Amino acid sequence: MLRKNSFVTLLFICILLLSKGTFLALSLPLSTRSRWLVDAPTGKRVKLHCVNWVAHMETMLVEGLDRKPVGDIASGVVSLGFNCVRLTWATFMFTRDGFLKLRVGESLEANGLAEALINMAKHNPSMINLTLVQAYDEVVDALGVVGLMVVLDNHVSRPQWCCGDDDGNGFFGDTHFDPEEWLQGLASVAQRFGSKSQVVGMSLRNELRGPLQSESNWYRYVELGAAKIHEANPNLLVIVSGLNYGTDLSFLKQKPLAVGEDLGNKLVYEAHWYAFSQGKRHQWEERSPNRVCANSISRFENKVGFVSSTAPLFVSEFGVDQRGVNRADNRFLACFLAYAVSKDLDWALWALQGSYYLRKGRPGFDETYGVLDTGWDHPRNPNFHQRFRLLHQMIKDPESNHSVNHILYHPLSGLCVQTIQDLENNDTAVVQVRDCESEDSRSRWSFRGNGHGDPIWLTGTNLCLRHVGNRLPVILSRECSDWETKWRVLSSSRLQVQIAAMDTQGEFQCLEKSFSNASSLLFTRECLCLDDSFCEENPQSQWFKRISTNVL
């Protein structure tokens, strides 16, 4: 993925971007219109699908510059399917003379990272004698060269790993979190990058938290910080996080931000969502994902999701162990994908880096949540592109005049349902799941009833899905009036993902994709975990989310 010849890589990426008419066609800056982000000059929707890239740790240096040339890393971000980077930064680097003057080589030496310094001399030699701030500039420039948008995230004040209730970086007035210095840092960074059009937004602060947090001080300082950014650089989106590690904006239901109208359609809210959010990881391991996912979605909607009815919501952090070995993370991800794709949210995955210069006192610390492997060469998960493909794509276009159709999406695999035979010459056809890469790899479906026992039609035809028998592949049929073609949603609560038809014995059989990666066919079998109790099998193999889309 990341090529040794940076010139060839850059040329390839530029051709790719131009051929696809992606970011380079945007004129920027971005603005907001109702719940959408739009290209301000044209009014066309722009969907952020980003990755987090860390630069807020003790070295105050963007991770990975000891592994690859910065241009190669930036090009690799594009090849992974992202169109932007959420780039973190620490306040002290822009406010304190000792850090403003500190050079890259000096920072690595001060942290005992002799090997990283040697490797950086191989891959990015021109950066070693730059100040940390100048090196940060170089990274932002490299991202802009390959057409990536940049969101600058004030992650911490004192450079360190984030986050904990007692780390001194949690809330205004905390040990290392002086509000006046924070405001100074926001203004300095907003002004510094005012001439770089690829920098489209700034977040006020990452994961406010800890014993000092209060709603009154949240309103006070968030409004001051938003005004400070907007005054220094009115082109930027101003991205606002709530309380409790970015999981709670519910207080806005009673009292909206007073500064919102003063920002001129630049206000965006952000939220974070992990399997471990609010201490819920154990539930993903111990209980049926049907109930845990439904409860998690309801909690997210109540705490933060509600803002998306009137303003853009940017899920600026979600993530999982990319090795695929964590049961809780695996189950959470299928739930998140089902929700985020159906809502067509803007998002940023945690995280790009395959390793850190230094974390928890360990040089070269391996980031299992990293998209890249430890060597920064390849995706850590070989199915990365397939799993996140549909999430990258725009599902809803507020300007579209096309009628709404539906995609049948299997979030556990990231695949879409598609027919596989020539329908013009067959009375029946089997269906399969395929990579959601293009229009050709996902069929459109019509649901003409209320979902309580109706055919599922292949759009533009008189063909419908038919259940043939237990553990047998489903087919497409022209006979659509009997019980075997009457499908209904059986899942509990608001999840609505298990789709079932009744067999000749009056038992429901659910649509399912095989756990086998070698099999792409869909079949039906007995429905799993419908009473939401614990069951040994994972019902997510039977999750098929109906995704409404008006984008061709």
Side-chain angles (χ1 to χ4, degrees):
M1 179 200 66
L2 299 179
R3 303 171 189 268
K4 294 180 180 179
N5 189 322
S6 59
F7 174 78
V8 173
T9 302
L10 177 58
L11 181 62
F12 169 77
I13 293 298
C14 289
I15 293 172
L16 179 65
L17 288 168
L18 288 169
S19 67
K20 290 183 176 294
T22 52
F23 171 60
L24 294 183
L26 298 179
S27 47
L28 298 178
L30 299 186
S31 190
T32 68
R33 189 177 73 200
S34 183
R35 63 154 291 191
W36 309 109
L37 295 177
V38 298
D39 181 34
T42 66
K44 294 185 179 297
R45 187 191 168 195
V46 176
K47 178 178 178 177
L48 295 182
H49 40 99
C50 316
V51 68
N52 283 270
W53 192 4
V54 160
H56 67 269
M57 302 281 273
E58 286 88 346
T59 63
M60 290 166 287
L61 186 63
V62 175
E63 302 291 339
L65 299 180
D66 61 334
R67 304 298 179 118
K68 298 288 177 182
V70 64
D72 285 8
I73 298 175
S75 298
V77 173
V78 178
S79 71
L80 286 164
F82 300 104
N83 69 353
C84 81
V85 167
R86 181 178 182 249
L87 193 64
T88 68
W89 59 280
T91 301
F92 288 3
M93 191 172 84
F94 292 91
T95 58
R96 301 199 173 186
D97 286 341
F99 292 136
L100 282 166
K101 297 176 181 178
L102 190 64
R103 299 190 180 275
V104 169
E106 294 170 339
S107 177
L108 292 172
E109 286 179 345
N111 284 281
L113 299 171
E115 184 177 354
L117 181 56
I118 292 170
N119 290 331
M120 189 165 179
K122 296 178 184 177
H123 298 299
N124 293 284
S126 64
M127 286 196 186
I128 290 177
N129 290 319
L130 298 180
T131 66
L132 294 170
V133 173
Q134 289 171 335
Y136 195 88
D137 290 343
E138 290 287 308
V139 173
V140 172
D141 288 344
L143 295 173
V145 164
V146 297
L148 288 163
M149 293 176 283
V150 180
V151 171
L152 302 176
D153 167 60
N154 180 230
H155 215 72
V156 290
S157 291
R158 185 180 74 174
Q160 63 181 71
W161 177 249
C162 178
C163 299
D165 282 354
D166 58 354
D167 64 8
N169 271 295
F171 199 72
F172 308 106
D174 215 337
T175 306
H176 309 298
F177 195 170
D178 173 51
E180 292 303 317
E181 185 176 15
W182 169 72
L183 290 171
Q184 176 191 345
L186 292 180
S188 175
V189 171
Q191 187 173 31
R192 183 179 189 89
F193 294 98
S195 63
K196 299 182 188 296
S197 61
Q198 70 268 33
V199 179
V200 297
M202 279 183 62
S203 65
L204 268 69
R205 185 70 171 202
N206 179 72
E207 295 195 356
L208 294 167
R209 61 196 179 275
L212 295 181
Q213 63 182 335
S214 68
E215 291 179 14
S216 59
N217 277 336
W218 183 90
Y219 280 101
R220 176 187 176 188
Y221 290 115
V222 162
E223 291 179 354
L224 286 172
K228 185 70 71 172
I229 291 174
H230 191 64
E231 178 183 0
N233 187 345
N235 285 328
L236 292 176
L237 298 173
V238 178
I239 304 171
V240 174
S241 175
L243 299 174
N244 296 316
Y245 293 84
T247 66
D248 188 4
L249 287 163
S250 58
F251 41 85
L252 291 174
K253 296 175 184 178
Q254 285 73 45
K255 183 183 177 183
L257 269 179
V259 76
E261 294 184 1
D262 299 331
L263 300 180
N265 296 321
K266 296 293 183 180
L267 177 62
V268 177
Y269 292 103
E270 67 177 315
H272 291 181
W273 195 2
Y274 293 93
F276 53 77
S277 293
Q278 300 182 348
K280 302 297 182 182
R281 181 187 288 277
H282 69 282
Q283 293 190 12
W284 291 103
E285 298 172 337
E286 299 168 359
R287 299 180 60 189
S288 167
N290 284 355
R291 174 55 60 184
V292 178
C293 182
N295 289 345
S296 185
I297 288 173
S298 293
R299 183 169 55 250
F300 185 85
E301 285 275 4
N302 181 56
K303 293 290 188 179
V304 291
F306 69 93
V307 302
S308 67
S309 62
T310 57
L313 177 63
F314 177 39
V315 182
S316 58
E317 280 189 32
F318 78 96
V320 296
D321 188 328
Q322 291 287 340
R323 299 171 299 175
V325 298
N326 187 299
R327 177 171 174 165
D329 279 356
N330 293 344
R331 291 183 166 191
F332 160 76
L333 182 58
C335 176
F336 177 84
L337 291 175
Y339 177 82
V341 170
S342 66
K343 292 287 187 179
D344 204 12
L345 295 173
D346 300 276
W347 53 270
L349 178 66
W350 187 273
L352 176 66
Q353 60 272 2
S355 62
Y356 297 91
Y357 303 113
L358 184 70
R359 179 176 159 188
K360 296 183 178 179
R362 290 170 51 191
F365 189 96
D366 184 24
E367 174 56 275
T368 58
Y369 276 46
V371 174
L372 297 177
D373 59 21
T374 306
W376 291 65
D377 292 309
H378 307 285
R380 189 178 294 264
N381 187 327
N383 294 322
F384 174 82
H385 288 283
Q386 170 186 299
R387 194 72 191 278
F388 292 91
R389 186 87 69 190
L390 194 59
L391 187 65
H392 281 85
Q393 299 179 33
M394 189 183 300
I395 303 298
K396 305 177 191 300
D397 182 354
E399 291 194 326
S400 174
N401 294 319
H402 298 294
S403 59
V404 173
N405 282 298
H406 299 89
I407 301 166
L408 277 177
Y409 174 58
H410 189 252
L412 183 62
S413 64
L415 300 175
C416 293
V417 177
Q418 190 208 29
T419 59
I420 60 172
Q421 286 183 291
D422 182 0
L423 302 178
E424 296 297 326
N425 301 313
N426 291 275
D427 289 334
T428 62
V430 295
V431 293
Q432 65 176 353
V433 286
R434 290 183 61 187
D435 193 311
C436 302
E437 183 173 11
S438 67
E439 175 68 20
D440 293 337
S441 59
R442 54 180 187 259
S443 298
R444 300 300 176 99
W445 305 91
S446 298
F447 296 77
R448 303 173 190 171
N450 56 15
H452 298 298
D454 306 286
I456 299 176
W457 303 89
L458 182 64
T459 299
T461 74
N462 291 319
L463 297 167
C464 64
L465 280 181
R466 170 176 287 274
H467 153 67
V468 176
N470 185 28
R471 299 181 184 269
L472 294 176
V474 297
I475 63 172
L476 281 178
S477 173
R478 298 187 188 278
E479 172 53 56
C480 301
S481 59
D482 51 15
W483 283 110
E484 285 80 5
T485 60
K486 308 296 184 184
W487 299 88
R488 64 188 66 204
V489 176
L490 296 183
S491 300
S492 63
S493 189
R494 301 168 61 186
L495 191 53
Q496 297 186 344
V497 287
Q498 281 173 286
I499 301 173
M502 190 175 291
D503 63 19
T504 54
Q505 285 74 46
E507 300 293 332
F508 283 116
Q509 301 288 327
C510 277
L511 195 65
E512 180 165 321
K513 179 202 174 294
S514 171
F515 274 113
S516 169
N517 289 330
S519 175
S520 61
L521 294 180
L522 301 184
F523 61 95
T524 55
R525 71 170 175 127
E526 63 275 11
C527 299
L528 301 174
C529 307
L530 291 180
D531 62 356
D532 295 323
S533 62
F534 175 79
C535 54
E536 289 297 329
E537 294 187 86
N538 184 359
Q540 291 177 322
S541 62
Q542 296 180 345
W543 284 14
F544 288 85
K545 187 68 176 177
R546 189 172 77 179
I547 305 297
S548 301
T549 179
N550 65 350
V551 179
L552 292 179

